[in-house]
Amino acid sequence: MFFNSFPFIFIFLPISIIIYFTLVKRHGLFGQIWLAIVSLIFYGLLTPEYLPLLLASIVFNYSIGSIIIKSLNDSALEKWIKPTLIIGVLGDVLLLGYYKYFNFVIFNLDRIPGLNIPMLEIIMPLGISFFTFTQLAYLADAYSGKVKSTTFISYLQFVTFFPHLIAGPIYHHSEIIPQFEDKNGYVVNWGNINLGILFFFFGLAKKVVIADNLALVATPIFSAVSNGGNPMFFEAWLGALAYTLQLYFDFSGYSDMAIGIALMFNIHFPLNFFSPYKVTSIIDFWRCWHITLSNWLRDYLYIPLGGNRYGIPIQMRNILITMLIGGLWHGAGWTFVIWGGLHGLFLVINHLWRMTGRKVHNFIGWLVTFIAVVIGWVFFRADSVHSALVILKRMVGGYGVSIPSILPNFGYFVQKGLISVAPLDGVLAFSSVIIGLFLVLCLPNLAELTKNFNGPMIHPKQDTLILFRIIHVPIVYSPSYGWSFFSAIVAVCAIIALQTTSEFLYFQF
């Protein structure tokens, strides 16, 4: 059962909310227990075989965290703080490493002559990257003395709260646990319900109306290349741009839905996207794309490595290491390592350029940044390094550039061997990409539209430069009949488009 399914929208979510507020009125603990149970049911409906693993991870990390917190307040136990932290971190890393990277390591070791290590049939548990990173941050903060002792129920809620469990956002314990325990949130807030519904259905529309249709353009092109096909110049760009837009609308749509669901429970999630394709530098891109992951990488990798405290060469090294690990976090494959390495290199170049004090025109900065991001997404999406290089070679005019004489035949591939690739609907494909670009470049995002009502959501730094504020909407969201009517139209369109349940892209990570 996913967010974009009829059972979730019309049965699971309404029942969860009604029973939660019914119980929480009687006693806050009853509501907390119910929310924890509902979250575990949600995860169990998706992957019942891995529910015990999730629970074991939670019990393990809560125990480790409790020992660390207790040891900080007892001088006799002080010597056990660091060993306990090491045990906790190793436990989490080994769990993630086994399920996500074991076969990747074996695959590469088998290339050594004489080795023949069998690979295992391992199915990665949904959300393992997210709930592992969430708990690693908790342990690190406990070690730094930033965590107060909390109950197991509060911790269970913190880790399993179902809007974020599968694909984030990666929130911080100091942001969320106090909200679960705040009695002011135990009363139905119709303003939050109204705003939550807006976020939920706008996010749903992003997914099922926009992202899933862009997938009809991107998937055939990338699949054809993985099967040996060679796209033409325009097809390569069409596939790369379609996936660039698909990933944004898919993941930001999920994040908006998660924010909306949480708001219905009076929980404010941190913002995860803020018009990342409008920025004029790769530094600003990472302030606006998957913001909670960027913050996690900064706080728990980049800064502990030394950040910018030990000179420029060490800072550049730290950036590269952080982004390589960030790339590997997304998936066990060389394409993800290269994607992370590219963004590390882009960030290094961007930082060095800023140190020179030179400036470029904002439009040039945007164009260079956007093209760099698109190139990175080609590696992110391709099934192999070879496939990515084929598409990139076509994008730079390898084998020449040919302009199709008839637009509807825009999707034909140059055939290779016996590979047969069905043509795309050129008009539809081209229109989908143009409309997608218009939406991300020319319209305000949900955070901007609801800036007066979205509570303590985390926004990017104020110095982030956003280009293409072409269309300024003179009004912002308010609980009104007009906005309710508009939201209803969006909701109806999303529900009509919800013919099949497709998985969110970031569920794979």
Side-chain angles (χ1 to χ4, degrees):
M1 180 175 59
F2 298 108
F3 291 173
N4 55 326
S5 66
F6 290 116
F8 179 86
I9 296 171
F10 295 109
I11 300 175
F12 185 89
L13 183 58
I15 291 176
S16 299
I17 294 172
I18 291 170
I19 295 180
Y20 171 73
F21 283 110
T22 301
L23 292 174
V24 84
K25 279 183 181 180
R26 297 178 180 274
H27 197 288
L29 181 61
F30 296 161
Q32 288 182 301
I33 293 173
W34 167 252
L35 206 50
I37 292 172
V38 164
S39 298
L40 293 173
I41 291 173
F42 176 78
Y43 190 82
L45 289 172
L46 290 172
T47 54
E49 65 275 21
Y50 285 122
L51 183 57
L53 180 70
L54 172 63
L55 288 170
S57 174
I58 291 169
V59 171
F60 172 76
N61 282 279
Y62 179 75
S63 301
I64 293 292
S66 298
I67 293 171
I68 292 173
I69 294 169
K70 184 178 180 180
S71 300
L72 286 172
N73 300 317
D74 188 340
S75 58
L77 300 174
E78 189 175 352
K79 63 181 180 180
W80 296 106
I81 297 176
K82 192 169 185 178
T84 303
L85 175 68
I86 292 172
I87 291 171
V89 171
L90 281 177
D92 286 334
V93 171
L94 289 173
L95 179 71
L96 186 62
Y98 172 75
Y99 281 102
K100 197 165 185 177
Y101 304 108
F102 182 84
N103 279 338
F104 175 64
V105 173
I106 297 303
F107 174 79
N108 286 280
L109 286 176
D110 278 346
R111 296 188 176 187
I112 301 175
L115 285 181
N116 187 21
I117 307 173
M119 298 180 68
L120 303 179
E121 293 185 8
I122 299 174
I123 299 176
M124 187 174 67
L126 282 177
I128 188 170
S129 296
F130 289 95
F131 68 71
T132 301
F133 267 37
T134 297
Q135 295 187 99
L136 279 171
Y138 179 84
L139 295 184
D141 287 342
Y143 178 75
S144 301
K146 300 176 182 178
V147 178
K148 296 180 180 179
S149 181
T150 186
T151 65
F152 179 73
I153 289 297
S154 293
Y155 183 81
L156 183 64
Q157 275 187 295
F158 160 66
V159 178
T160 65
F161 189 35
F162 69 89
H164 101 108
L165 178 58
I166 306 301
I170 305 172
Y171 50 46
H172 197 268
H173 65 88
S174 63
E175 300 166 352
I176 300 300
I177 291 180
Q179 293 189 62
F180 286 135
E181 299 174 347
D182 184 2
K183 293 181 180 179
N184 293 324
Y186 293 168
V187 180
V188 175
N189 184 320
W190 291 107
N192 283 342
I193 295 287
N194 190 305
L195 187 60
I197 291 173
L198 176 79
F199 265 83
F200 180 85
F201 281 110
F202 269 62
L204 180 63
K206 282 184 177 182
K207 165 62 177 173
V208 301
V209 177
I210 306 174
D212 287 353
N213 281 293
L214 286 165
L216 300 178
V217 181
T219 301
I221 294 174
F222 277 91
S223 296
V225 173
S226 67
N227 290 322
N230 284 300
M232 295 186 295
F233 172 80
F234 289 100
E235 287 171 334
W237 272 102
L238 197 66
L241 289 172
Y243 181 71
T244 295
L245 295 167
Q246 177 199 354
L247 184 61
Y248 169 74
F249 282 112
D250 191 284
F251 192 21
S252 70
Y254 175 90
S255 295
D256 289 340
M257 294 172 77
I259 288 171
I261 295 168
L263 276 172
M264 297 180 201
F265 291 94
N266 294 328
I267 302 297
H268 293 271
F269 272 2
L271 196 66
N272 215 21
F273 290 89
F274 195 85
S275 299
Y277 292 155
K278 294 181 182 179
V279 299
T280 59
S281 73
I282 206 71
I283 292 173
D284 288 337
F285 173 79
W286 280 104
R287 288 174 177 164
C288 298
W289 175 274
H290 205 344
I291 299 170
T292 57
L293 174 64
S294 299
N295 292 342
W296 196 100
L297 292 172
R298 179 199 64 203
D299 295 341
Y300 299 103
L301 277 178
Y302 175 70
I303 292 177
L305 284 171
N308 60 358
R309 299 191 299 273
Y310 302 108
I312 295 175
I314 299 299
Q315 180 188 3
M316 300 303 109
R317 181 206 67 181
N318 294 340
I319 290 172
L320 286 171
I321 293 174
T322 299
M323 295 310 299
L324 283 169
I325 294 175
L328 194 58
W329 174 85
H330 281 84
W334 289 112
T335 52
F336 294 108
V337 175
I338 292 174
W339 172 78
L342 278 175
H343 273 275
L345 181 62
F346 296 155
L347 285 168
V348 165
I349 293 172
N350 198 175
H351 277 284
L352 293 175
W353 174 263
R354 287 191 175 185
M355 290 175 187
T356 67
R358 299 177 182 177
K359 294 184 179 181
V360 296
H361 190 278
N362 288 340
F363 178 78
I364 300 299
W366 168 81
L367 185 62
V368 171
T369 300
F370 186 71
I371 291 175
V373 170
V374 172
I375 290 172
W377 288 142
V378 171
F379 281 100
F380 194 87
R381 172 60 178 83
D383 69 320
S384 67
V385 176
H386 172 74
S387 294
L389 292 176
V390 168
I391 293 176
L392 289 173
K393 187 171 184 178
R394 290 293 185 172
M395 288 170 65
V396 298
Y399 307 110
V401 178
S402 60
I403 302 176
S405 58
I406 304 176
L407 188 59
N409 291 332
F410 203 19
Y412 281 104
F413 280 89
V414 176
Q415 304 299 310
K416 178 179 180 181
L418 300 177
I419 301 296
S420 176
V421 182
L424 297 168
D425 183 330
V427 175
L428 181 60
F430 185 75
S431 300
S432 298
V433 171
I434 293 299
I435 292 172
L437 287 171
F438 172 78
L439 293 174
V440 298
L441 297 179
C442 301
L443 297 183
N445 57 54
L446 267 180
E448 291 172 311
L449 286 175
T450 60
K451 61 184 179 182
N452 295 331
F453 293 88
N454 59 15
M457 293 182 189
I458 298 173
H459 288 261
K461 293 182 179 180
Q462 293 299 314
D463 61 350
T464 297
L465 184 57
I466 303 288
L467 198 62
F468 292 109
R469 295 188 187 278
I470 296 174
I471 295 181
H472 291 270
V473 178
I475 59 172
V476 295
Y477 167 81
S478 62
S480 62
Y481 289 113
W483 271 102
S484 297
F485 180 72
F486 182 57
S487 299
I489 292 175
V490 172
V492 169
C493 292
I495 290 172
I496 291 174
L498 191 60
Q499 298 178 1
T500 58
T501 301
S502 58
E503 189 173 290
F504 285 90
L505 292 177
Y506 255 70
F507 283 6
Q508 304 168 18
F509 309 124

